[in-house]
Amino acid sequence: MFACQVEGFGEMGTAKPQAAMRWVRTVDGWERPDRWNLDSVRRPTLHPLVVAAGMGLFSVLGLLAFEREER
């Protein structure tokens, strides 16, 4: 029974370094995931309705700028 407990602790200690030594193929070459800086990625703070309103305004201004006069 004592040996099982010691063996269980030994397996937990060796599993972490193997995961840290894992390499992943990316478009930039082989990289280690534990070195990736994931905190630097930010979500955009611009609301989608603001983008839609800007696109609508831009479209209307484009139609007014290239309007043909047929009278």
Side-chain angles (χ1 to χ4, degrees):
M1 183 171 190
F2 181 74
C4 292
Q5 290 178 352
V6 172
E7 185 178 304
F9 285 119
E11 288 178 7
M12 287 176 31
T14 58
K16 191 169 184 176
Q18 289 175 355
M21 295 301 293
R22 192 180 76 172
W23 290 83
V24 177
R25 176 78 174 147
T26 64
V27 294
D28 296 325
W30 289 94
E31 297 179 357
R32 291 174 52 180
D34 59 340
R35 302 264 172 112
W36 293 345
N37 188 6
L38 299 178
D39 294 336
S40 64
V41 178
R42 295 183 323 143
R43 288 190 61 148
T45 57
L46 195 58
H47 197 274
L49 288 177
V50 174
V51 176
M55 290 175 64
L57 180 64
F58 185 74
S59 298
V60 169
L61 289 176
L63 289 172
L64 290 175
F66 297 107
E67 176 184 21
R68 283 193 271 168
E69 291 186 30
E70 296 183 18
R71 292 186 189 184

